[in-house]
Structure formats: structure tokens, C-alpha cells
Amino acid sequence: MSLGRLAPMALIACCLSASPGLAADVTPGHDPWLQKNLAPLLDLYRHLHSHPELSFREFETARRIADELKKAGADVTTGVGGLGVVGLLRNGQGPIVLVRSDLDALPVSEETSLPYASHVTMKNGSGNVVGVMHACGHDIHMVCLVGTARWLAEHRDRWSGTVVLIGQPAEEAGDGAHAMLADGLFTRFPRPNFALALHVAHDLEAGKVGYCIGPAMASATSVDLIIKGKGGHGAMPDATIDPIVLAATLVLDMQSIVSREIRPIDPAVLTVGAIHGGSRHNVIPDEVRLQLTLRSFRNEVRDQMIAGIQRRAKGLAEAHNAPEPIIEVTDTTPPTVNTPSLVEKVMPTLVRELSASNIETVEPTMAAEDFGMFGQDGVPTFMFRLGTVPAERIAEALAKNESLPSLHSSLFQPDPEPTVRTGIRAMSAAVTALLPPARPLPAASARAASTGD
């Protein structure tokens, strides 16, 4: 039976039945190494957290990650897709595994009061000064990448092949993976047989890993709409074509696309995130601009939403004798899909490394991630989620009927020690699950090496 066809809980059960004793015994795995090496990695985390940089401006972040990968023994190339970092760990013949971390932070002013909280400000794309914070956990991701690189470099007897270590810019902008791929990531460097990533979770206990099979994160499509009208005096609406009224009607009408045109079993989200129009109380403007985000797991659903938007916007303009609207689909990030066959390869090792009690099945999310782009050329992909929240904080929130600070919140606060420890254990275990052990030297070669001949 193929595990890839099983539901997530059944997959864990199969992992346990295939390896008796796993539920009771936790393989020590990386613990001795982590006890010795975790402190400097936590120092790195605190540095990265307090020195965040916005998308496509991760100059110092990229430099630091490149330096750390070099120190770990990787052959490092910088400037891939702008600020992307590629580190290669080679260890003989074998498969090629890509491990990706993102580098960028968010325009969020931190409010955690941590001793290493960010006080950084930068100018955003509009030229406004904004606070900057690693509110999506990319600092955790980077430290796990560096820790995994160090562990793999010091345990070459456990694996053979090539590990491609990626520091990717501009995940939050949705452009970083595309920029690296367009700059020859899969042609200038070894094309991976598998691609792995982790992402922090704001609602999962630190020390645990969550996963799902198949679609894990939605596609994200941005749509810009310009509703045209005919401006004039607010006291003489009969002499105008009011684009604000048209925009308000359209915003409400578009909600019926998901509720009445998309099949109920197909997840879909259509959100109007911004409306810009008008300048004074008594002036009807010439146009109103709308910005939308569309989320889905299937391209057909995305296309159906776009068609519904176009049909409604154009029909509304015609009904009100208004100029035809301008509709632009500006960018699309594909869904992130956990390839069933890859999940099947990795999960038994994660269960063995962390124990079944620390593995949880999680639901797919309509949030988006450009990691899915690494799988567009047929590369199997797997992104698992990394718990960040102390158990007592989760229990307290439940007792008070409060929600935990989400990703992108100014109050998001991972618990670094168990989160980094678990992330490194999980990712390095996942990599070695996909790579065969290093072949021992033939006896004659081993004797020659030991005598210096």
C-alpha cells in the first residue's frame, strides 16, 4: 500500500507499525550535538531578530547567512536573483536535496518588549519610514538552515549526495523564488531531486512538527481594478457617473462569486484589501482603485474567480453608462503542495527522530508561500510546520478564550530554544531520510588513508 494515498493520521500509524517501539522510544539523534552547539545558534537568532530587513533589501542578512554557510563548509554563491544565497554541501554520489529558508522581514513595528526586540526602521516602497520586524519567523528559518548545514557538515558519514542550501530573498513580496529561478537556480546549480522547507506556526506547541499531505498553502493572485466614472460636484450627482457607488456595488457583488459560483468543496477566498478614491467631501471623483487578493488551491478556481470579477465589473460599467474598467492581474504565487510520495519518504524518519507524540496533522491554510515555485518544474516539495509556542501559553490562551498572536502580528514571539532545537532536528533528519549513508572506504583505501600512503 502506498502511504501517499493515506490520510495524515493513518500515515503516522503506518510509520509506527513499520518501526516497532517508536511510540515509546525517542531516538537521541541530534541531542548531544545540539547540547554542544545550540548556544551560538541562539545568539545568531537573537542577532537576526534584532536586525531585520525588508524584501529585496536583505543586504546584511544575505551577507551574514552566506558567511555562516561558508563557515559550515559549503561552497557559497551570492547575488542569485539579486540577493539570493546558494550554498552547496557535496559528499560524493547521491541524490540532490534542496533546503530553503527565506531572508526577509515585514513592515511591522515590534511590540514584544523582548530584550532583543527589533527597533529597526526602513523606508518602504512608497518612501514611508516603517518599523521592521521578523513577524513571520524567517529568523527562525535561517537559524535552522545554518544549524542543519553545520550538522550535515559534521556528520558526513550519515549521508551522501549534494545538499543545496538556499537563502531566498523577498518571500513576503512573492518575488524571491521567481527571481532566483529566473537567474538560473536550476541550471547554474544542481537541479534538486527533492525540495524541503519548514515554516513556523503560531498555534502549534514548541517542540512539535505539523504536516499535511497534498495542498498545504494556497495560491495568491493580486488583482488591480480601476473603476471609471465621470467626476463632478457632490451636490449634482445627476451630472456625474459616481465610481464610488459603482465600486461599493462591485465589492458586494463580487462576494457572490465564492458563495454562488465556486463549488462548495473547492476552497476559495476573494478579499478586497484596499479602496482608494476621492479627495474631498463634496467632490465625486473620476475613478476608484481597488486592490484584491484571490486564494485557491486549484488554478481552475482562480481562473473562475478572475472571470467572475471581469464579468461583473464590465457589466456594472455598461449598466451605468460608465467607461470600461481597467482590470489587471498583476502577479500569482502558485500553491505550495506537499508531494505525497515525498511525505511518505520523510515522515517515518521524523517520527523516529521526534516521536509520534510530537508530530501533529494540520489543516491546509489559505495563506500563501512562494516555496511552491520550486516545485513548478516537477520537483517534489515538502514544507512542514514548526511549533513555536510554549504549552503553558497555549493553555492560558484557551483558559481565557483568547487567540494567540498570529504570524505578521507585532506581538508574535517564538520560544527560541525548543523551536530552533526541533527545527534543526527535523530538517536534518528529513535531509538524511532522502540521502543514503556515505559508503565506507574499501579496506585497502582505509589502511592507506590511516598510514598516510
Side-chain angles (χ1 to χ4, degrees):
M1 180 186 298
S2 170
L3 298 182
R5 295 192 183 97
L6 297 179
M9 287 305 297
L11 176 53
I12 292 179
C14 280
C15 294
L16 293 173
S17 63
S19 303
L22 287 186
D25 300 324
V26 181
T27 303
H30 306 73
D31 271 352
W33 184 90
L34 279 166
Q35 289 174 5
K36 179 181 177 181
N37 293 276
L38 190 60
L41 288 165
L42 292 176
D43 288 340
L44 175 62
Y45 166 74
R46 287 185 283 267
H47 171 82
L48 293 170
H49 185 89
S50 59
H51 294 81
E53 296 175 295
L54 294 175
S55 302
F56 283 130
R57 302 178 201 179
E58 311 96 325
F59 300 103
E60 291 303 314
T61 305
R63 182 196 61 76
R64 180 64 183 267
I65 296 305
D67 288 346
E68 294 293 342
L69 294 179
K70 287 176 184 176
K71 291 176 184 177
D75 178 12
V76 174
T77 302
T78 59
V80 181
L83 291 171
V85 178
V86 179
L88 300 180
L89 279 177
R90 296 184 176 91
N91 195 32
Q93 298 296 314
I96 300 162
V97 177
L98 181 148
V99 181
R100 173 271 208 169
S101 169
D102 24 24
L103 304 176
D104 55 335
L106 285 158
V108 173
S109 296
E110 183 162 356
E111 296 180 310
T112 64
S113 300
L114 289 166
Y116 51 87
S118 169
H119 301 288
V120 172
T121 59
M122 297 180 72
K123 287 186 177 181
N124 63 14
S126 302
N128 299 317
V129 176
V130 295
V132 186
M133 176 189 176
H134 273 298
C136 201
H138 297 183
D139 44 0
I140 293 283
H141 302 175
M142 288 184 275
V143 174
C144 290
L145 179 77
V146 171
T148 298
R150 292 180 184 179
W151 189 91
L152 290 169
E154 295 182 28
H155 295 82
R156 291 179 180 269
D157 59 320
R158 309 281 185 92
W159 61 280
S160 61
T162 299
V163 181
V164 184
L165 303 154
I166 301 294
Q168 180 211 301
E171 184 278 326
E172 298 294 352
D175 296 329
H178 173 76
M180 293 190 74
L181 289 164
D183 199 19
L185 179 62
F186 284 0
T187 55
R188 295 168 54 191
F189 306 96
R191 184 182 183 278
N193 301 107
F194 312 101
L196 299 172
L198 56 78
H199 202 296
V200 297
H202 77 282
D203 54 357
L204 185 63
E205 182 181 335
K208 293 189 175 185
V209 162
Y211 82 104
C212 60
I213 301 173
M217 303 185 83
S219 68
T221 298
S222 297
V223 179
D224 289 307
L225 268 170
I226 302 177
I227 307 300
K228 298 284 189 176
K230 179 182 177 183
H233 201 294
M236 305 174 186
D238 56 305
T240 72
I241 300 173
D242 192 337
I244 290 181
V245 172
L246 299 185
T249 303
L250 181 61
V251 168
L252 292 177
D253 192 20
M254 287 190 295
Q255 303 312 306
S256 66
I257 296 175
V258 172
S259 66
R260 289 296 177 265
E261 293 186 17
I262 305 298
R263 295 190 311 164
I265 61 174
D266 282 326
V269 173
L270 186 159
T271 294
V272 180
I275 302 178
H276 303 282
S279 59
R280 289 181 59 88
H281 300 74
N282 61 346
V283 177
I284 292 174
D286 288 317
E287 64 182 35
V288 173
R289 294 174 178 262
L290 307 180
Q291 293 175 298
L292 288 72
T293 186
L294 314 180
R295 305 298 172 101
S296 65
F297 291 124
R298 298 197 304 119
N299 291 339
E300 295 85 352
V301 175
R302 177 203 62 204
D303 293 343
Q304 191 175 356
M305 285 192 283
I306 293 172
I309 292 166
Q310 292 172 331
R311 190 170 62 252
R312 282 165 172 77
K314 292 177 180 178
L316 188 66
E318 183 177 354
H320 291 264
N321 201 28
E324 184 169 312
I326 297 174
I327 306 168
E328 293 184 349
V329 179
T330 52
D331 60 76
T332 294
T333 299
T336 293
V337 178
N338 289 337
T339 308
S341 60
L342 179 54
V343 177
E344 174 184 338
K345 290 177 183 291
V346 168
M347 284 310 302
T349 301
L350 288 186
V351 172
R352 183 166 59 249
E353 179 62 37
L354 300 176
S355 87
S357 62
N358 289 319
I359 305 291
E360 291 194 7
T361 57
V362 294
E363 295 293 329
T365 174
M366 300 307 285
E369 241 278 2
D370 67 356
F371 175 67
M373 295 202 71
F374 294 114
Q376 293 295 288
D377 197 29
V379 176
T381 54
F382 181 23
M383 172 179 277
F384 55 85
R385 296 184 209 166
L386 181 62
T388 64
V389 188
E392 57 271 19
R393 198 188 304 169
I394 295 176
E396 181 183 0
L398 288 172
K400 295 181 178 179
N401 197 27
E402 296 176 348
S403 60
L404 294 162
S406 67
L407 300 181
H408 294 208
S409 164
S410 62
L411 297 173
F412 177 61
Q413 182 179 332
D415 190 1
E417 192 276 337
T419 301
V420 168
R421 179 188 292 273
T422 303
I424 294 171
R425 289 183 67 182
M427 185 55 77
S428 50
V431 172
T432 54
L434 300 171
L435 299 175
R439 294 181 180 179
L441 288 171
S445 299
R447 284 195 301 272
S450 65
T451 59
D453 293 343

